[in-house]
Every structure is written in C-alpha cells, then in structure tokens.
Amino acid sequence: MMTPAFRGIIPPVCTPLHDDFSVDVVSLQRALEFLLDAGVDGVFVLGSTSEVAYLPDAQRRTVIETAVRQVAGRVPVLAGCIDMTTLRVAEHIAVAQDAGADAVVVTAPFYTRTHVAEIEQHFRLLHAATGLPIFAYDIPVAVHSKLDTAMILKLAQEGVLAGLKDSSGDDSSFRYVLQGKKDRGLDGFAVFTGSELVVDNLLSIGADGAVPGLGNVDPAGYVTIFDRVRCGDQAAANAEQDRLLRLFTIVGIGDPARIGRSSAALGAFKYGMKLRGVIDNAVLAPPQLPLTADEQVRIKAGLVEAGLL
Amino acid sequence: MMTPAFRGIIPPVCTPLHDDFSVDVVSLQRALEFLLDAGVDGVFVLGSTSEVAYLPDAQRRTVIETAVRQVAGRVPVLAGCIDMTTLRVAEHIAVAQDAGADAVVVTAPFYTRTHVAEIEQHFRLLHAATGLPIFAYDIPVAVHSKLDTAMILKLAQEGVLAGLKDSSGDDSSFRYVLQGKKDRGLDGFAVFTGSELVVDNLLSIGADGAVPGLGNVDPAGYVTIFDRVRCGDQAAANAEQDRLLRLFTIVGIGDPARIGRSSAALGAFKYGMKLRGVIDNAVLAPPQLPLTADEQVRIKAGLVEAGLL
Amino acid sequence: MMTPAFRGIIPPVCTPLHDDFSVDVVSLQRALEFLLDAGVDGVFVLGSTSEVAYLPDAQRRTVIETAVRQVAGRVPVLAGCIDMTTLRVAEHIAVAQDAGADAVVVTAPFYTRTHVAEIEQHFRLLHAATGLPIFAYDIPVAVHSKLDTAMILKLAQEGVLAGLKDSSGDDSSFRYVLQGKKDRGLDGFAVFTGSELVVDNLLSIGADGAVPGLGNVDPAGYVTIFDRVRCGDQAAANAEQDRLLRLFTIVGIGDPARIGRSSAALGAFKYGMKLRGVIDNAVLAPPQLPLTADEQVRIKAGLVEAGLL
Amino acid sequence: MMTPAFRGIIPPVCTPLHDDFSVDVVSLQRALEFLLDAGVDGVFVLGSTSEVAYLPDAQRRTVIETAVRQVAGRVPVLAGCIDMTTLRVAEHIAVAQDAGADAVVVTAPFYTRTHVAEIEQHFRLLHAATGLPIFAYDIPVAVHSKLDTAMILKLAQEGVLAGLKDSSGDDSSFRYVLQGKKDRGLDGFAVFTGSELVVDNLLSIGADGAVPGLGNVDPAGYVTIFDRVRCGDQAAANAEQDRLLRLFTIVGIGDPARIGRSSAALGAFKYGMKLRGVIDNAVLAPPQLPLTADEQVRIKAGLVEAGLL
C-alpha cells in the first residue's frame, strides 16, 4: 500500500476537452504519463488550472477517476474540491474519496462574505467528514480572502489540515508558515507553493514542494529545480527558474483587452501542451474565449525559445 | 395559463432549514404564504439571501419544487441558478426548468478572472440552452465584477436577457439602464433593484420592481412602498422606506469581529422570521456561525420598534 | 457680515490653467461669474474636480484668493484642504482661513493605512486648530477608505463637523446620515451629495444640497433640479436629471485604454467649459494626458445634444 | 566628489519627533550614526517609514538637510519626494536637490485615477526637471496602483529612472525586472526591494539591495544578510533573515481593532529604537494613535528575544 508523500513537484493538471466539452480521457491519460515521465512527485487534478470552475460534476468525477486509474499509485493524486461552502464541498470530497484520491484540496468559502472563524469552521467540519488528508488552498485571486497564517498553523497542529497549497503570492506570509511549521515540529505538514516563478527560492528556504501550472507545459523544468535545490546547487536552480520565467510570459500573450486573464493563461498552457503533442485539442470550456491565430504563433515562439519545440 | 409579469415586489426567499441542514419544507411553505398574504408580486428562490451558496444541489431542487407547488401560479417563481461558469449554471437552469420555474437568475462567472466579452458569451450560451427568461444578477460583492451597462442593454434588446436584478449598489449605473431601456423601447425588459434601502427612489424613476432581502421579515412594508409610488404618493413611500431603514439595522447586529457579514445579515432575517412565527428554526447552513443570545435580544428589539412584534 | 448658509447647489469649480500650468485667473473669474449667473448657492474650490491633487500650494492659494475676492460674499466659498494627514491639512486650512474662505473640506487621511479612530482624531485635531466650519469629504475612490456613518453623526453632534460632502456613491449610507441628522435634530449640519446623477432623488429625501462636477458645464441644470424639488415638482426634477444623465456621458469619451479616468472626466468638463466660452484653455495639469481631436468632437456633440451649444 | 553607489542596505530612516511634532534633530543625527555604525550602504529619508505622509514641508526639509549634513558623503542620501502628482513632486525634488540629496524616490501619482501612460509621463517630466537620479517607488498599498514592469525597464534603458524601490510584495514582477535588467545590460540600474522578509532570497537572485523598515531597529541584521549573500553563504543569510522574521512580528502587536496598521508598524519601530537608545521619543505624528503600555511590553519582549536588548 502506498503512503502519500506530498513532497516535490505536483503540477495542477490541465483538463483536456473535446469540442463538446466532455473530458478527452485519452488526452488526459497522455498528459498524466507526460508528467510522470518527467518525474513529477504527484498530480493535482481539479485545481484552478484544471478549469475546475468550468467543469460540471460529471466531468469532475471523470477526471478524478481517470487520474487515479492511470496513475495507479505511482504518485499521489490530489483532487481539488472547489465549491462555495461546506456542504457543497463535502459532496465533492465524498466523490473524490470514492474515486480513490489520496488527498483533497479545499479553498476558503467564496461568493459569500466570510470570516476567519468561519473559514476555520469550514475546514474543521470537512475534516470531521472525511478520512482523506485536506490541503488548504490559499488563492485570494479566486476567493477574495486570504487564509490566516495563525489559523493554518493551528489547524496543522491539530491534524485538521495535512498541507497548504499557497497561491497567494505573498511570500512573507508563506515564510511565516514555514517558520511556524519548524517551530512546532510539524514535519508531516506539507507546505506547497503555487507561485511558479519563485519555486527555486521557496524550496531553498524549506517549502516541501510546488504546484506549478506551467508544469503542464514543462514539467521537466520544475523537476530540475526541485532536484537542484535538493542537491544544494542553488545557482543551477536559479538558472532553470529563469528559463521558466521567460516561458511563463506565454500566459500574457492573450490580449487582456479582448479575453479574460484566466482564458489567456489556460489557453496558453493548453496550446503549449498541444504543440508538444501532449493533448489533442486546446479548446477551453465556456464562456472562455479562444486565443487568436496570431497569439498562437507567439506562444509557439515562446516554446521554441524555451527549447521545448 | 399565467403570464409572468415580473413587476413589483419579489423578495428573495430565505431557505428555512432543519438542524441537519435539510430544507424545512413546511416552514418554507409557510414563508411563501406569508409573502403572498402580504401581497408580493413574485418570489425569488435560491438567491444570495436564500443561502444558495450554501445549499447542495438536492436542497436547491427541493426549494424550487416546493416553491412552484406552493405558489401554484399565483405569482411568478424566479429561481437563482448560481454557479461559477456556464456549463455548471446550465445544469441548474435545466433543473429549474424541469421543476417549473418561471424565470432564472444568473450572475457573471466567478472564482475565475473573467472579461466583459466572456460575461456576454456566458449569457448568450445560457439563453441558447433554455426557453426560460433569464435575469442578469449584478452582484459585485459576491462575484467581484460589475455587469457592464452597455452589455446589459444590448442583450436586452436582442432578447437574450429578460430582466436585471441589480444588487450592485451603484444607483448611477442603474439609472443608465433605466434610461437606455426607455430610449430603446424595451418595455418588456424588467429592471429590478436589490438595493433595499432606496426602493422608493428607484421605483419613482422607473424601476419595475425590487428584490428586498428584508422583505422576508417585513414584506408588507415593501408592498406598501410599491403601492404608494404607483399612486404617486412619494412622501408616504419615503416614510415607509425610512421605517424599513431602521429595521434594516438588524443586519449589522451580529458582531463583525466574530462572524461573517453574510451570517450576520442572514441570521438576522431568519431570526426575525422565526420571531414572527414564519419559520420554525433560524439555523444557518455551515460554516456560518450563529448570533449570540444578546444579539438575538437586540434583533427582537428592532422588530418591536418597527411594529412587527 | 455674511452667514454661510451651506444649502443648495455648490459646484466644485474647475481650475483653468495657462499652458505653463499657472492659474488662469481671468478665466477663473469668468467661471465663477458663470456659476453665480446660473444661480448657484456656493462655490467649492480646490476639490477633486478642481485638480487640487495637481496644484502646488502657490496655485492653490491663488485659487482661493481669486474666488473669495470675485465672489465677494454673494455666496459662501468652500475650500478643499486636501492632503495626506493632519499637520499638512492644517497648513492648508490656515491658508484658506487667511484667504477668507467660509468653510473647508477635508478627506480622511490617505497614502497611509488608517483606522476609523484615527480618522476621527484627524477631524477633531483640525477642528481644534481652526474656527472655520469643516466639511468631511467622503471620497473612497481617492482616499481608499469610507467614512463611518456613526462617526460622522457623532462629530456632527459635537460640532466638530459642520457638514458632509458625500462622493462615496453609497446612497444607503447617505440615507442613514440623513436619518441620523433628523433623529438628532442637527438642523445646522449640512449634508451634500457629490453623486451628480441622483441629485433629484437625494434632495427629495432630505439632502441639503449637491456638489456636482458637471455643474461646471451646466450649472443651470442643477439649479433647476434644486428649485423643482423645493417646489415639490419631482417629475420636472427627474426630467432635468435625466437630461444631465445624458450630458454626463461626456466624462467617458476619453479612451480609458489611453488615459486615466480622472483625465477623461476633467478634460471633458474643461473642454465643455471652453466650448461654452467660460474658460480660455482646457489644458490639464501634468501628468494628465489630453483628449484627442476626435474625442473633443464627440464631447461637443454631447453639449449640442444637451442644448448647451 | 562622491559617486553614489546605490547598492546594499539602505534603510528608510524613521523620523524622530518632539512632542510638538517638530523634528528631533539630535535624535535623527543619532539614528543616522547608529545606521552608519552598523555598516549601511546608504540612507533613505522621507520614505513611508519616515512618516513622510505626516510631515509638513518644513519638517521634510529639516530631515533632508540634517541627513545630508550628518552623513557628510560617507554614503548616499536618498530623499523621498512623496506627493500626489507631478508639479507638487517637482517642488519636493527641487528642495531635495537644493539640500544636497544624492537621489530622489518618487511614487506613481495618487489620490487620482491614473493610467500607465500618465505614470510614465510623470517620471519623464520629473527627469526633465532635475539632474538628480530618480528611483521609482512601487508601493501599491499606499498609492493603489502597481508600476508596470515593461514601463520601468523602458525608462531605465532611456536613463529616466536610475533605480527601483519595490515595496509591492510581488516577487514575480520583481524577478522580471531583474531579468530585464540583465537582458538589457542595465548594470547601473539599481533594483532594490522593500520586502524586508525576503531580502536574502531577492539578493541571491540579483537584487542590488534592500530598503528594510525593520533596519531602523536592527540594521546590523540586514547588513549581515547582504554580506553573507555576497560571500555565497546563503544558509547564514537565511538564518539571519529568519531571526529578523521573528523580530518583524512587533509590527503586528498594535491592535488593528484600535489603531491603523501604519501606526502599529511605525510605532513599533520607533519604540524599538527608543528602547535601544537610538531616539529619545517614540511619538508618532497625528492622527496616528499610540501603542498601549501592554503593547510596548510585548514589543520589548520581541527585541529581547531577538538579542537586541
């Protein structure tokens, strides 16, 4: 039996779709193998990068089931259970558990005006309802509140939270979590960053791993960073991160005067995956608007420059 | 056969719950009769005030079915179809349609970083997928984007949107919608405000109606305002609105240092309804935290002062 | 000796400039006479619409001195004393007092992260330092905090504040101020709105007056609204407000993809004043960028449509 | 003649005040010597940490003159020229130049709704008006806009900007500036971070220096970090940064339910300096509210724990 390690590079897997927006299972399987071949330490399905906000429940279930079956225990499978509040999230967790996920990833409540005490209550109730490890997902750009550092550490200490996936972009609060973890001896509490442009630095100061959306396009790059940091070769880690910094500019090619910034980023990731032969179709779920042909040309140039094509 | 009119006072109905968070159908039926007795012109279930963000799909379905059956065509039933993006909302619309709702109410996409062109695409795709009239629900406090006035008017003119429920608090943009409606001769486009403290003024300049959360506690007050404006007695409408302004302070009694502002407001509405004998149980769905006994005393005093107890 | 009344239409006067950004005193005198001819009840110099944020202290002093001398007691002159915190504002107040202003207008502290208790302290200290009446200026779009209703009413009751100029756009909180004023019998506390598109409604529910930026271009329109509301002819007030609603669209003609929204609005006001012969030069202070020739053509069309040219 | 180097640790110097809020020149001189003794590479007066937003022009001038005279060319003196827009900032720059500052530090326009093209225009006009090197000061928490990376690099290349002081907390955009600097060979462009909790990491990836507010209390700590990174001893740099992370918690001791967050931070710095014998008086400029005695006790404990007392 596998013991989930929750350490290293765990990309948030893009969800390939058919033109009718059903899940392209074959492409998803190929994407998972592509990541595993690159040496990732886990996969995170149904995160923001997976278009989880766009997928109906049936597609969500298909994604988890496909991932669990395909990965087959080689690495842990984390499943995003993204919904507005406790009872709705609890239903997603039950599905994830039933499908065999190794851990679930949960945000603060959104749509509603919440409070730190209610966010804490949210995680406690969900922990009481499932045996699965719960990662808190700190993503203010989506849920419009920031997780409180003291609350995270308290819930980590009590065993309510198994980890943190921090996409807040606030490296100072992240560092306080790392320091608090160390002070409290919370070795098993997995602290991951979603800030894909500073993975080298955050690993070097003690982060357990990273969840880089760009890892869909270039997982090997992030695996290299993790590996180089582990070996104490910070200069090489920095150099690889700098290469990925350039590649990451593809997320800004979609014109913000014409389409949403989520569409621009997810469209770039998916088109990059298609160019690399990982998925068949770069279509985005509605109502996201597509990249133009010209934008696609520039994304291709970005991949060429990064040595990926 | 009833032709939905979409005019007048259409409260967003609170969802009474049992202690296990299942829908208290009997209380919901009583609440609907309470509203109808007061003379409301429609009911809006599964809005933000209905705790829609907190209700799993099964409870949502029960709410619509109960409302349609209980109201039995006496007034239109509007159903909120609140979810993150198009495909998920479309599923809620199908349920609402199946359950017999007269119209659906839909926000801009949320959780994701969207764009006005994608919001427009969202409404167009949903309109193409249903025969039901669609109200755009402008609620930046929840979805963190504001609906564009020009887009609303364009979609109204094309028949994509049947109405607007404006909870933005931006009376200037609301007024531009009213002016644009008049200029384009869009008589059938129903423009409702959710700003429950300025209903008198907005009706007087041409709004078709209001969706006041406070109408759960005092529907007769809002019906009076609508009636007085229709009769040209603005002073009486203002006086009644002023009375409701005082009553509305109950939403701020729950201490914002302790609980969320949504919980404070919804808790006050539900406790007020319980005090008036409309519902049996004022429990809120998780992770909302309850009002204290002291806060309840002060809410009761507010109802007494408003002449409701 | 004149007793300031602080009631009615008090436009925030645009500051005409020469090409070297010195104050065009002759144009300013003409603008003041234009407003007085239209029947305004006061003038507010050095508000946001006056480009106060762009004017060095010498120009600010020139503006107040010019206004006091030109108006010569016919109506009150209010002077904005806009700066970051207490000691700096106090210096502006001393200048305004020395120059003969009848009242000063003061925002919450900005640039710094403040607190309601510190905002209250700010007003108290300034009141202690001057004999002039102080208006609190609620303008979250500029200072990024909202004045607290309870604080305003407390300071009004204690005589610290003589009035409120509310540019928050929050008609609900504005209404609570009006209600609180009435409840406390604060007849002398002057409650003005800066929401120039809903002046008719806010006057009808008890506002003492309005400070409309658009009044630089069409003061007579706002004087008409005030007059019609006073006479109980709300329909005429609404109709005039509706005409001004159309005229106000000139503030959005400057392309937000190219210039700031302040520049677009202030540029439109100044160009409109120039077209009407009120000022000689529509130049804006740096670093604001100018309107294009095409945008100017469209602004002219707006004035023609409104019957002003 | 001294050539300003603009490299290393350049603390933003707190401004000691007398009880009447005049500058305590003797304490300021002592504070400057304290910093120089610790080995800082420059001093930055009249930044946000210096309470620049609270100081009238006369006090501002005193601060620069005192610093220039006291430092006497041993290290460069940077002077914040913080005001709302171009003409007002230009006046502060003239004063700084006259007083002998080596460089000036300028934010984007604030109070007004600006645009990237106007921010660019702002820096260009100021550069045209002074011979002093200009640092762009990126501080969204104060000015509510973020400086654009491409604009910064363009103005650096053209010689309009001599440096960047980045207090945005956005390490990803900071990294793009570093990469762009390298790509363009802008060796003389000084890139400083104000993120005092990640100085070790940002120096290690190429930042030229840091401007840490906490450096008022513990300059030696930051000098150590700079030194250790320069010597390639990242572990020692990390350890020292971790110590300072703990010390930095003093900024959160002032209760945010009672006072502003600026007051809490600046009050903690000043009280820490007083405890260390650097300044005589920890008073803050109005309307900031003071720390309580209990909060002071906890701040003292923080300094003891950090080995500073």
Side-chain angles (χ1 to χ4, degrees), chain A residues 48 53-57 60 83-86 88 91 111-113 115 118 142 144 256-258 260 262-263 287 289, chain B residues 48 53-57 60 83-86 88 91 111-113 115 118 142 144 256-258 260 262-263 287 289:
Chain A
S48 307
Y54 298 90
L55 300 180
D57 290 352
R60 290 187 179 196
D83 217 314
M84 296 170 240
T85 58
T86 313
R88 295 183 65 85
E91 294 195 346
Y111 187 89
T112 186
R113 289 173 296 166
H115 183 281
E118 294 177 342
H144 301 277
R258 193 179 49 78
S262 293
S263 314
L289 293 172
Chain B
S48 307
Y54 299 90
L55 300 180
D57 290 352
R60 290 188 180 196
D83 218 314
M84 295 170 240
T85 59
T86 313
R88 293 183 66 84
E91 293 194 346
Y111 188 88
T112 186
R113 290 173 296 166
H115 183 281
E118 294 177 341
H144 301 278
R258 192 180 48 79
S262 293
S263 314
L289 294 172

Side-chain angles (χ1 to χ4, degrees), chain B residues 15-16 22-25 28 32 45-46 55-69 95 99:
Chain B
T15 307
S22 61
V23 178
D24 176 350
V25 170
L28 178 54
L32 291 162
V45 294
L46 300 183
L55 300 180
D57 290 352
Q59 278 100 311
R60 290 188 180 196
R61 180 187 283 268
T62 298
V63 167
I64 307 181
E65 288 174 349
T66 302
V68 169
R69 201 167 46 235
V95 170

Side-chain angles (χ1 to χ4, degrees), chain C residues 51-69:
Chain C
E51 293 175 86
V52 68
Y54 299 89
L55 300 180
D57 290 352
Q59 278 100 311
R60 289 188 181 197
R61 179 188 283 267
T62 299
V63 167
I64 306 181
E65 289 174 348
T66 302
V68 169
R69 202 168 44 235

Side-chain angles (χ1 to χ4, degrees), chain C residues 48 53-57 60 83-86 88 91 111-113 115 118 142 144 256-258 260 262-263 287 289, chain D residues 48 53-57 60 83-86 88 91 111-113 115 118 142 144 256-258 260 262-263 287 289:
Chain C
S48 307
Y54 299 89
L55 300 180
D57 290 352
R60 289 188 181 197
D83 217 313
M84 295 170 241
T85 58
T86 312
R88 294 183 65 84
E91 294 194 345
Y111 187 88
T112 185
R113 290 172 296 167
H115 182 280
E118 294 177 341
H144 300 278
R258 192 178 49 79
S262 293
S263 314
L289 293 172
Chain D
S48 307
Y54 298 89
L55 300 180
D57 290 352
R60 290 188 180 197
D83 217 315
M84 295 170 241
T85 59
T86 312
R88 294 183 66 84
E91 294 195 344
Y111 187 88
T112 186
R113 290 172 296 166
H115 183 280
E118 294 177 343
H144 301 278
R258 192 179 49 79
S262 294
S263 314
L289 293 173

Side-chain angles (χ1 to χ4, degrees), chain D residues 34-92:
Chain D
F34 172 69
L35 296 175
L36 288 165
D37 284 351
V40 302
D41 305 287
V43 295
F44 170 35
V45 295
L46 300 182
S48 307
T49 301
S50 315
E51 292 174 88
V52 68
Y54 298 89
L55 300 180
D57 290 352
Q59 278 101 311
R60 290 188 180 197
R61 179 187 284 267
T62 300
V63 167
I64 306 181
E65 289 174 347
T66 302
V68 169
R69 201 167 47 234
Q70 187 70 24
V71 169
R74 289 177 283 175
V75 297
V77 174
L78 286 72
C81 293
I82 308 303
D83 217 315
M84 295 170 241
T85 59
T86 312
L87 299 178
R88 294 183 66 84
V89 173
E91 294 195 344
H92 295 293

